[in-house]
């Protein structure tokens, strides 16, 4: 495999990944609508993938391709436009412009494709389902990867990504509104580990076709907010009932791949 990597959808996650790969000796090209937001030394190209795909000559010289697409919003139309329409078209185009020889194509997806809502564990072989608009669109994209890149394609299903300084959960506590589904299980992965694992897959000798990417420790919303509340000096208030118990993600295949989490649980990630 040559040391050229192409990142289609080089946003925040893709940019961090690109810098990580460059540190490993890769030459990296990143594509996004506003390429001026991509820092050097990543080579950058402005392109709206909803309108135009990269030239075949650019595709053909890369042996490592990441597809990291993000919908423009959390609406049915946005998800369908990105994962349901754009992604299948893009993956088909890539298969037509790049032979599978020495190609590794890594697609980011989500554990949202698993319908489990009773608190059970899920893994790569668990049943997926198109049970809402998000899972429906995501599975269309994943199916296109399987159809057009059965040998070269790797699908990484991320749980909730977060940063150590993220204030998303803090805002919920500060609002002092009752928090729903207190006994539902939640799963997360620090963004540094998301980047680290994607980079790890670049050189893995025998990768799996699908990975669940989450940390070692699912936690209920009740326990999570109680512990974070102590950190931030707020006592959380909960609704009394739980309607959806969520899922617990098993990351056994991630660990079997040889990747070692920098933040194995939310306590490490939030500095608790």
């Amino acid at each position: 495999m040559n040391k050229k990597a192409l990142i289609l959808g080089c946003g925040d996650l893709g940019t961090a990944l690109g810098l990580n790969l460059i540190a490993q000796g890769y030459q990296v090209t990143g594509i996004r609508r506003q390429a001026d937001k991509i820092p050097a030394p990543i080579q950058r190209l402005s392109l709206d993938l909803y309108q135009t795909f990269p030239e075949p000559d650019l595709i053909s010289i890369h042996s490592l391709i990441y597809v990291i697409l993000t919908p423009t919003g959390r609406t049915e139309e946005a998800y369908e436009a990105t994962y349901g329409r754009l992604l299948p078209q893009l993956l088909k185009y890539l298969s037509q412009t790049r032979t599978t020889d020495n190609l590794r194509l890594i697609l980011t997806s989500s554990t949202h494709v698993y319908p489990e809502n009773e608190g059970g564990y899920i893994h790569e072989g668990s049943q997926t389902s198109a049970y809402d608009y998000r899972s429906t669109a995501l599975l269309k994209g994943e199916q296109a990867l399987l159809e057009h890149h059965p040998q070269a394609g790797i699908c990484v299903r991320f749980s909730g990504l977060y940063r150590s300084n993220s204030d998303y959960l803090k805002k919920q506590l500060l609002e002092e509104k009752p928090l729903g589904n207190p006994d539902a299980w939640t799963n997360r992965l620090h963004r540094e580990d998301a980047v680290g694992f994607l980079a790890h897959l670049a050189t893995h000798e025998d990768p799996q076709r699908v990975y669940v990417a989450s940390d070692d420790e699912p936690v209920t919303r009740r326990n999570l907010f109680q512990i974070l509340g102590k950190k931030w000096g707020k006592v959380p208030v909960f609704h009394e009932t739980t309607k959806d118990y969520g899922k617990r993600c098993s990351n056994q295949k991630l660990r079997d791949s040889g990747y070692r989490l920098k933040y194995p649980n939310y306590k490490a990630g939030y500095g608790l």
Side-chain angles (χ1 to χ4, degrees):
M1 183 179 291
N2 66 31
K3 301 285 281 188
K4 293 180 181 290
L6 177 64
I7 302 175
L8 300 170
C10 194
D12 291 344
L13 187 64
T15 294
L17 170 63
L19 295 174
N20 183 303
L21 291 171
I22 287 172
Q24 297 184 45
Y26 282 84
Q27 178 182 320
V28 178
T29 298
I31 291 178
R32 65 184 295 177
R33 275 198 199 91
Q34 297 173 300
D36 58 325
K37 294 183 178 181
I38 302 175
I42 300 174
Q43 298 181 25
R44 55 195 186 185
L45 175 64
S46 289
L47 204 63
D48 183 350
L49 294 173
Y50 289 92
Q51 303 295 327
T52 308
F53 291 158
E55 293 293 331
D57 288 348
L58 178 64
I59 301 296
S60 65
I61 64 173
H62 290 90
S63 61
L64 178 61
I65 300 176
Y66 291 89
V67 181
I68 309 174
L69 302 184
T70 304
T72 56
R74 290 179 68 89
T75 66
E76 182 172 0
E77 172 54 30
Y79 266 75
E80 178 63 21
T82 299
Y83 295 112
R85 295 196 296 271
L86 169 59
L87 186 52
Q89 293 169 3
L90 177 60
L91 291 171
K92 181 178 181 180
Y93 174 78
L94 292 175
S95 72
Q96 295 170 337
T97 55
R98 174 65 165 83
T99 65
T100 58
D101 296 341
N102 299 316
L103 173 66
R104 179 161 296 181
L105 195 157
I106 301 172
L107 170 70
T108 60
S109 185
S110 169
T111 56
H112 190 76
V113 298
Y114 298 107
E116 171 64 42
N117 65 1
E118 296 181 359
Y121 270 96
I122 60 91
H123 52 77
E124 289 79 0
S126 298
Q127 178 185 358
T128 61
S129 175
Y131 61 94
D132 63 5
Y133 74 82
R134 291 171 59 198
S135 56
T136 298
L138 286 163
L139 287 171
K140 287 181 181 178
E142 290 192 11
Q143 179 58 38
L145 180 70
L146 179 65
E147 177 182 352
H148 298 298
H149 303 275
Q151 303 302 321
I154 300 172
C155 179
V156 181
R157 293 169 175 161
F158 284 119
S159 64
L161 301 186
Y162 73 102
R163 296 182 176 89
S164 297
N165 61 354
S166 173
D167 61 358
Y168 174 70
L169 297 179
K170 188 175 184 178
K171 286 181 178 179
Q172 293 184 59
L173 275 172
L174 294 179
E175 285 180 354
E176 298 183 344
K177 295 179 180 178
L179 299 163
N181 291 331
D183 297 311
W185 290 94
T186 68
N187 306 268
R188 56 193 36 79
L189 183 70
H190 198 285
R191 290 181 71 91
E192 288 185 27
D193 278 315
V195 169
F197 184 59
L198 289 174
H200 171 72
L201 291 177
T203 56
H204 194 289
E205 292 184 359
D206 186 25
Q208 301 293 313
R209 299 272 70 85
V210 178
Y211 285 98
V212 169
S214 193
D215 68 21
D216 294 342
E217 190 176 336
V219 60
T220 64
R221 285 170 56 80
R222 185 186 302 277
N223 288 345
L224 176 65
F225 278 107
Q226 285 177 339
I227 292 174
L228 290 177
K230 292 179 181 178
K231 173 182 175 68
W232 294 323
K234 285 289 181 179
V235 177
V237 178
F238 300 99
H239 287 294
E240 294 183 0
T241 58
T242 295
K243 298 179 181 179
D244 182 342
Y245 288 87
K247 61 180 73 77
R248 285 178 279 180
C249 294
S250 168
N251 66 1
Q252 186 62 52
K253 282 191 176 182
L254 178 149
R255 289 186 282 131
D256 288 347
S257 77
Y259 183 74
R260 296 294 175 262
L261 291 165
K262 182 176 180 179
Y263 301 99
N265 54 46
Y266 69 98
K267 294 178 183 177
Y270 287 111
L272 299 175

